[in-house]
Amino acid sequence: MGAGSLVTAAVSIVLLVVVAYAIIGGILVTADVVATAHKDQVQVQESRLHTSIAIVGHAFDAGTVYLEVENTGNEPVLDFDRMAVFTAVESTTPVYYPYNAAGGAGTWSRVSIQPDTIHPNELDPNERMNISVQYGGTQPDWAQVTTPNGVSTSAYLR
C-alpha cells in the first residue's frame, strides 16, 4: 500500500511539471506575439507620423481632372494601387476612384512624377506626382487623395 502512494505522488509531480511547462510555454509564446504586434503597430504609426502630402495644383480637361500631389513629408509613398482618390460635387456624396495604371473611366492613374531620378516610380519627399482622375459627368468641386497608410489631403477645385 505504501508503494501505491509513492507511485501516485510521483505521477502527480510529473503531471504538475508537464502542466507547468505547457503553461509557461504558452505564456512565453503569447508574450512574443504581443510584443511583435506592438512593434509592428509602432512602426505603422511612425510611418504615418512622417507621411504628409498636399494637393498643390489642379487642371480640368474634358472629363478629366489633373491633380498635382506633392510629398511634403519624410516618408516615400509607395503602392499607388492602395491609394484612394475621392471627388465630390457640391452637396453630394464623394465618389471613390480606384487606381488603374492604364487609366479609364471612373479610375485614377499616375501621369508623371517630377523629378523622378531617385527611386523611380516612387513618390519620394519633395517630389510631385501628376495624377489624372477621369470623372465623367459633372465637374467636381472637391478632391481628396489618401495614401496607403491613411494620411490624406483634400482641396476645393473651384
Side-chain angles (χ1 to χ4, degrees):
M1 186 105 140
S5 298
L6 189 60
V7 170
T8 304
V11 169
S12 297
I13 290 173
V14 169
L15 285 175
L16 281 173
V17 169
V18 169
V19 168
Y21 181 75
I23 290 173
I24 290 171
I27 289 171
L28 291 175
V29 167
T30 302
D32 185 47
V33 168
V34 169
T36 302
H38 180 62
K39 183 181 112 189
D40 292 345
Q41 181 185 19
V42 167
Q43 285 179 334
V44 166
Q45 292 299 335
E46 186 175 310
S47 168
R48 197 176 164 149
L49 179 67
H50 293 114
T51 302
S52 179
I53 59 173
I55 297 174
V56 294
H58 68 278
F60 290 97
D61 181 36
T64 303
V65 60
Y66 294 94
L67 301 174
E68 191 170 4
V69 179
E70 182 176 359
N71 183 344
T72 57
N74 296 321
E75 195 75 25
V77 177
L78 314 169
D79 298 328
F80 298 127
D81 58 336
R82 292 181 46 220
M83 288 179 67
V85 175
F86 298 89
T87 65
V89 178
E90 183 179 354
S91 300
T92 64
T93 303
V95 177
Y96 166 72
Y97 294 89
Y99 176 76
N100 184 346
T107 64
W108 75 273
S109 62
R110 176 174 45 99
V111 176
S112 66
I113 297 176
Q114 295 296 326
D116 200 20
T117 52
I118 305 297
H119 305 123
N121 301 318
E122 295 179 7
L123 185 60
D124 294 316
N126 298 318
E127 290 184 344
R128 290 184 177 195
M129 177 172 61
N130 189 346
I131 67 173
S132 68
V133 181
Q134 296 188 12
Y135 56 87
T138 307
Q139 185 173 333
D141 298 318
W142 172 86
Q144 176 180 318
V145 178
T146 305
T147 65
N149 62 4
V151 175
S152 65
T153 183
S154 63
Y156 287 100
L157 306 177
R158 294 188 191 201

